[in-house]
Amino acid sequence: MVSSAGIGSGLDIEGIISQLMEIEKRPLTQLNNKKAEQQAQLSAFGSLKSVLSSFQDSVQELAKPTVFNGLKAALTDTTMATVSASSSAAAGTHEIEVQSIAQSQKIKSEAFASTDTIIGSGTLTIAFGTYNGDGTFTANTEKAAKTITIDPAKSTLADIRDTINDANAGITASIVNDGSGNRLVIASKDSGLANALKITVNDADGNHTNNAGLSKLAFDASTGGVANMTETVAAKNAVLVIDGITIQKSSNTIDDALEGVTLNLLKADPGTTSTLTVEKDNSSVEAAMKAFVTTYNSLEKTVTNLSRYDPANDQASILTGDSTVRMVQFRVRAMLSDNPLPAGGINSLSELGISFQKDGTLALDDSKLSAVLADPDKNISGFFGDIPGTTTSTPGFISRLDQLIDGMTRSDGLIESRIDGIDSVIKTIDKRSESLEYRLEEVEKNLRAQYTALDTMIASMTQTSNYLQQQLASLSS
């Protein structure tokens, strides 16, 4: 009995079936090649949509008023303060004198032998306010007093420091070793006269004011108050003079003295003035224009790479001749080449220094752009923005360009429709491939059955032939 294909007949049945199946698989191979081509096109359109979206982002940036309304601030003495300006600031110059900078009050305890020294337990009540010239203390109504409980089991100098810091009570605590011992230093988190500290102790030993136990941390600098801790840094307001007007603030960050201008005071220099200049900042416009040109060039280069044809090697790209790609390129180029609605004293992008090059990319002439930005009769924001009307505004250059790109990139737009079409083709190919694969399995089964039967038949015929030859040979002898 034949146990392996071809043993009985001597035929290479596996080889024969393999070659026949290669012929049968040709339609499937063609489908797989077509699917790979469609997937490559799908990826190509994904890349095209991505660069279009990036270009649209740069287009939309030019629609923002803040890009054109930017202001910058500079101080002649940069060591005095840092400054910044928002679009709500007014251009101009101001004379600034910083007489003092704001400080947070700091107080220190007596020196203790080690950080493990037990101080005492009870509660510390932290109040914030102003110590007045007449010896009284006026509480800060905007900051409620906070009470911190010191547990007897956690009453060492280090424990008290940690408990204060964990309480988030508007103060910080640290331990400083000054050579004579370890001192607890307590600082108000906020600077300014109104944030000075008053610490009232409820000592577990029953005496809340003596210099023993937790009472060692009592501090009240008002007349008749108990101050067992010592002030090391006084609470102080920032005092500055702007154009002859004296201003006091609790913080060194001042954003409400000049509208739209923020000052961060660094040092005091009484008697010395520095000039603050607030002027138009064109850097955001220049950056937005450069981004516009750069992202368009990425779009143009992507379109070129996806659709170019190499005549020397007779080689087409994945989207060579594709009508969708040609339409995207033509429509965007047409919009950039011709602006039918001049505005802001500007007629076209070329007047802003943006022009087409021979390879289809854009170039930006910085000197032309700078000249327009410096010309009071030219309004770049007006050129890019919508044009006001009696009842409604007319879409300006940027709005129309944005709408054009949106029609290409949105979910029901030009490119997505093309992508949906390719997806549909791929799904059809998958269904056909699945059907073909099933048919090929059946074809291979049939071929294997046929050649197995042939192998068996030839083997049987060979055995019969051998038998007859033996019989004839015996008769001859």
Side-chain angles (χ1 to χ4, degrees), residues 198-221:
K198 178 181 177 182
I199 302 177
T200 305
V201 178
N202 188 330
D203 199 332
D205 66 7
N207 191 326
H208 313 309
T209 57
N210 67 344
N211 197 18
L214 194 62
S215 302
K216 290 176 180 288
L217 305 183
F219 181 80
D220 180 358

Side-chain angles (χ1 to χ4, degrees), residues 414-464:
L414 180 67
I415 293 177
E416 200 62 38
S417 296
R418 188 75 170 83
I419 289 174
D420 289 343
I422 295 172
D423 278 332
S424 178
V425 172
I426 291 174
K427 288 178 182 177
T428 300
I429 291 173
D430 285 340
K431 288 181 180 179
R432 290 182 61 189
S433 296
E434 185 179 353
S435 177
L436 267 176
E437 285 172 352
Y438 174 77
R439 190 184 72 78
L440 289 170
E441 288 178 4
E442 294 301 313
V443 168
E444 185 172 1
K445 285 180 183 177
N446 292 334
L447 286 172
R448 197 168 295 281
Q450 291 172 8
Y451 277 94
T452 299
L454 176 63
D455 185 43
T456 301
M457 183 180 69
I458 292 174
S460 177
M461 292 175 66
T462 300
Q463 288 177 346
T464 301

Side-chain angles (χ1 to χ4, degrees), residues 158-355:
D159 288 334
I160 292 174
R161 173 200 60 195
D162 295 340
T163 300
I164 290 174
N165 288 331
D166 291 342
N168 193 26
I171 59 175
T172 59
S174 58
I175 296 174
V176 176
N177 189 320
D178 63 357
S180 63
N182 297 277
R183 299 179 185 272
L184 184 69
V185 177
I186 297 176
S188 174
K189 284 186 178 180
D190 297 323
S191 58
L193 291 172
N195 294 305
L197 300 172
K198 178 181 177 182
I199 302 177
T200 305
V201 178
N202 188 330
D203 199 332
D205 66 7
N207 191 326
H208 313 309
T209 57
N210 67 344
N211 197 18
L214 194 62
S215 302
K216 290 176 180 288
L217 305 183
F219 181 80
D220 180 358
S222 63
T223 302
V226 176
N228 293 331
M229 297 184 74
T230 305
E231 181 181 74
T232 58
V233 178
K236 189 183 293 185
N237 280 344
V239 180
L240 67 160
V241 180
I242 301 178
D243 296 334
I245 302 171
T246 301
I247 299 168
Q248 286 199 44
K249 299 291 180 181
S250 62
S251 171
N252 289 315
T253 300
I254 302 168
D255 58 9
D256 56 358
L258 288 169
E259 185 178 4
V261 176
T262 298
L263 291 151
N264 291 298
L265 306 185
L266 301 177
K267 73 171 185 179
D269 193 0
T272 301
T273 61
S274 181
T275 301
L276 169 65
T277 303
V278 180
E279 60 186 350
K280 186 177 180 181
D281 183 9
N282 290 325
S283 62
S284 57
V285 181
E286 293 165 349
M289 294 287 280
K290 288 178 181 177
F292 178 87
V293 170
T294 299
T295 53
Y296 174 78
N297 288 344
S298 294
L299 168 62
E300 177 64 24
K301 290 173 182 177
T302 298
V303 169
T304 299
N305 290 335
L306 293 176
S307 61
R308 68 155 51 112
Y309 174 74
D310 181 4
N313 298 307
D314 192 24
Q315 182 67 45
S317 298
I318 191 63
L319 296 179
T320 299
D322 187 274
S323 60
T324 300
V325 176
R326 290 200 307 269
M327 190 179 299
V328 168
Q329 186 179 48
F330 173 78
R331 289 182 178 178
V332 175
R333 277 185 179 178
M335 177 69 76
L336 299 183
S337 301
D338 180 30
N339 179 35
L341 296 173
I346 302 168
N347 297 305
S348 65
L349 285 176
S350 61
E351 291 186 24
L352 297 176
I354 295 177
S355 58

